[in-house]
Amino acid sequence: QSVLTQPPSASGTPGQRVTVSCSGSNSNIGKNPVNWYQQLPGTAPKLLISVNNQRPSGVPDRFSGSKSGTSASLAISGLQSEDEADYYCAAWDDSLNGRVFGTGTKVTVL
Amino acid sequence: EVQLVESGGGLVQPGVSLRLSCAASGFTFSNYAMSWVRQAPGKGLVWVSGISDSGGTTFYADSVKGRFTISRDNSKNTLYLQMNNLRAEDTAVYYCAKDLGATVWGLGTLVTVSS
C-alpha cells in the first residue's frame, strides 16, 4: 500500500501554475530525499525531479520540487498540453526498509 | 545511452513460478544498485524489491517477501526477479530501474496471473 499521499487529480489551463503535494511521515520524507516521476499515457515512468529539487538533464525548468518537514511539492509553471500525465512522488522509508511511492496525481490540461 | 530491457513476462496460472530478467547497457552496471517496481493495470506504482551494487544486500516489499527473490549477475549486466507462488494480485507490468532511486526505467514486461 502507498504510505505517501497525493491528491488524485489536479488541473489547469495552458500557461497556469499547478502544484502537486505529497504527504508522508518522519520515517520517509522527514528523513530522506524525494524523487518525482512523470508517466505519460501508455509509457514507462521517467525521473522528473531527484533529491527534492534537482532536475535531471533534459527536464524543462518549468518543473520544480521542494520539501518541507514531512511533505514535498511538485510545481509545474507555464503548464503545457504535453504535461498531461500522472505524477508520482517517492522516498525511502526507514521503518519499512524499502522505497515507497505516492498514490499518484493525474494532471489535466483544460 | 542508458538502456534497460526487461523480459520473461507472460500469462501464468496461480501458484507457478516465473523469472524476469533485465538486461542493462550504457553504464557500469556493477557500480549501481537496482530496483524492481510494478504497476497493476490502471493502478499506481508499487516498489517491489531492490539490490545493492554487489548483490550482497537485498530489500523487499512486505507483499512479496518470502515469495520473490532479487539477484544480479554483474558479469552479464543482468538483473533478475524470481517470482514463486504467484497470485492474481501479482498481475502487473514489472519495470526494472537503475539504482534505488529509480533514476532510469525500462519499458516493462507484463505478468498476468490467471487461471
Side-chain angles (χ1 to χ4, degrees):
Chain A
Q1 75 284 7
S2 297
V3 299
L4 302 183
T5 303
Q6 299 177 232
S9 62
S11 62
T13 57
Q16 275 191 328
R17 185 173 189 267
V18 170
T19 61
V20 178
S21 62
C22 174
S23 177
S25 66
N26 286 324
S27 63
N28 43 64
I29 295 178
K31 285 185 181 174
N32 297 300
V34 177
N35 285 2
W36 288 91
Y37 305 90
Q38 177 193 58
Q39 187 174 31
L40 297 169
T43 70
K46 168 191 139 181
L47 180 66
L48 197 63
I49 297 287
S50 68
V51 195
N52 305 325
N53 55 20
Q54 304 300 303
R55 279 188 313 276
S57 173
V59 173
D61 58 8
R62 303 184 289 104
F63 295 93
S64 62
S66 64
K67 183 179 109 168
S68 178
T70 59
S71 294
S73 288
L74 171 72
I76 310 172
S77 58
L79 191 66
Q80 299 183 7
S81 58
E82 57 260 40
D83 299 333
E84 196 159 278
D86 293 323
Y87 293 85
Y88 296 89
C89 58
W92 189 262
D93 190 294
D94 290 345
S95 296
L96 297 175
N97 203 27
R99 194 157 186 81
V100 289
F101 281 89
T103 47
T105 298
K106 183 174 183 61
V107 170
T108 302
V109 182
L110 302 171
Chain B
E1 180 196 2
V2 174
Q3 273 204 317
L4 299 169
V5 180
E6 302 91 338
S7 60
L11 171 62
V12 297
Q13 292 190 329
V16 305
S17 299
L18 201 61
R19 188 178 82 157
L20 305 182
S21 299
C22 171
S25 61
F27 66 104
T28 305
F29 181 70
S30 58
N31 286 354
Y32 290 89
M34 296 292 292
S35 304
W36 285 101
V37 180
R38 69 184 181 185
Q39 186 171 35
K43 302 296 185 181
L45 301 173
V46 176
W47 177 84
V48 173
S49 183
I51 188 168
S52 63
D53 52 2
S54 67
T57 303
T58 56
F59 310 90
Y60 297 95
D62 286 345
S63 58
V64 305
K65 205 171 291 184
R67 298 189 300 125
F68 290 11
T69 302
I70 190 172
S71 63
R72 63 192 297 161
D73 185 336
N74 284 347
S75 69
K76 295 182 177 179
N77 290 347
T78 303
L79 175 72
Y80 302 101
L81 186 67
Q82 177 67 42
M83 304 185 295
N84 297 332
N85 190 21
L86 282 162
R87 306 167 179 168
E89 54 264 37
D90 296 319
T91 294
V93 173
Y94 285 74
Y95 297 101
C96 81
K98 178 171 173 264
D99 66 53
L100 296 183
T103 54
V104 181
W105 299 59
L107 296 180
T109 186
L110 175 62
V111 173
T112 304
V113 185
S114 174
S115 54

